[in-house]
Amino acid sequence: MRDRVLLSLLMLAATLPALSAQDWPQWRGPLRTGSAVASFKPPAAWPDRPKQVWKVRAGIGHSSPIVSGGRVYLFSRIDNQEALVARNLQTGVEIWREAYDAPYDVNPAAAAHGKGPKSTPVLDRGHLYAFGISGVLSAWNAQDGRLLWRKDFKKDFKSTVPDFGVAMSPIVVGDLVIAHVGGKDNGAIVALDAMSGAQKWSWKGDGPAYASPIAADIAGTRHVITQSQRAIVALSAADGKLLWQIPFTTEYEQNAITPLVVKDLVIYSGISKPTTAVRIARAQGKWTATEVWQSSAVPMYMSTPVESGGFLFGLTHRNSGQFFCVDAATGKVMWTTKGREAENAALVTVQGLVMAMTTEGELVVFKANPAQFEAVKRYTLADSPVWAHPGLTADGLVVKDAETLAFWRF
């Protein structure tokens, strides 16, 4: 088992582009796990207050800033357009801006979240791929913003958006850009050639949800795993064939948690649903997903957990938001905080610490300690709601709140 896990990690590393120490190139970071890897080095002593290096008006939306090569890239709505903007990391000065008209009628149930975009771009080998809230998928040259290709899928589906707008963040696997396109009851997970946008494969088994896919090597096969409208789905990255699926629905079909792979377990959750771990195996040519544990004590709504030292750290929506620690192997709840922490939190783990950026604009730094919740520092970094995941740098983080973007250095 240990050799197989090691092989999987080596295979994953081999597919990743070379990253600098400051790269945070996609949703949840370089490995798409919320692990900072080399992106951030915690200070020897946390200051009483981090330094705000710069702050700019940046449009609305929940798309997360990404960081690479001394630049910050942000996808946001400015007036009635979706815009991708590149800025100098050290100064905040705009380098280039590209935009397109993006009219969108927001579902009244999601009015508080605005007209987006909600999806985070991915940067791979000098190209940026961004997925607009109305289902427009675009590819740009990261150096100068030149448009490479664009797809709107209007000819393929009766609707190009799920009920609450596109929220899934595309992923690059090898030479493919993979996204869940279409709308309610009528969608497809598609793989497009990263250079040309030409479709390579398509799986039309379910409509899209609001989670983002991950890629993982399990038993020698590259899986693309995500939450769809009504299931946990795993496809072959090579050809899009269904490997396995688990029926899974939440209230108002709001599947939104990015799956997490810990060793040979796939972990998932949803609003008012138990957090669940399944073991994936292949025997006689068939894939199986066997439940290993469930925990009804720590369901998760939109906040995806992180793993450190064999333990999960996350935020459950119970009791108005409780941080928690769970043994990833057994599902045993090690601790929970009292509650009223946050409506949502974007979590990152680095060198024995967890950094949680909450919707209330508070950064909570605590130790990845399974014995007890041990806060290190709490900082208020925004005075309006923060739904976007922060972008990490070597010594700080870039925070997108309701309408501004700011770089904080520790």
Side-chain angles (χ1 to χ4, degrees), residues 85-243:
V85 179
R87 296 182 181 276
N88 182 288
L89 173 62
Q90 299 304 325
T91 65
V93 172
E94 185 175 307
I95 299 170
W96 57 255
R97 175 188 300 205
E98 293 297 328
Y100 58 92
D101 291 340
Y104 176 71
D105 295 323
V106 65
N107 186 314
H113 287 265
K115 293 186 175 183
K118 300 177 181 178
S119 169
T120 296
V122 53
L123 172 63
D124 181 80
R125 289 167 285 187
H127 293 166
L128 284 158
Y129 306 93
F131 200 14
I133 196 167
S134 60
V136 176
L137 182 61
S138 305
W140 285 277
N141 182 298
Q143 181 63 30
D144 57 16
R146 176 170 47 90
L147 181 67
L148 302 174
W149 52 260
R150 176 167 290 151
K151 307 284 183 179
D152 63 17
F153 305 101
K154 290 180 179 178
K155 295 181 179 179
D156 303 310
F157 305 99
K158 61 184 180 182
S159 172
T160 58
V161 294
D163 282 348
F164 307 120
V166 168
M168 70 83 58
S169 300
I171 186 172
V172 175
V173 182
D175 294 326
L176 302 175
V177 179
I178 298 173
H180 204 158
V181 303
K184 184 176 181 180
D185 301 328
N186 184 24
I189 298 175
V190 298
L192 308 178
D193 181 87
M195 294 299 295
S196 68
Q199 183 172 298
K200 295 298 183 180
W201 55 252
S202 174
W203 178 80
K204 297 182 178 180
D206 198 8
Y210 309 95
S212 297
I214 61 168
D217 293 294
I218 301 174
T221 298
R222 198 80 196 276
H223 287 54
V224 175
I225 307 171
T226 192
Q227 291 198 22
S228 67
Q229 187 178 332
R230 300 186 183 92
I232 312 298
V233 175
L235 307 179
S236 166
D239 56 17
K241 291 182 179 178
L242 180 67
L243 300 175

Side-chain angles (χ1 to χ4, degrees), residues 48 323 337 341 362-365 373 375-380:
D48 291 334
F323 292 121
T337 56
E341 298 284 1
E362 183 180 42
L363 179 69
V364 183
V365 182
F373 176 76
V376 175
K377 281 288 184 179
R378 291 178 181 261
Y379 302 110
T380 297

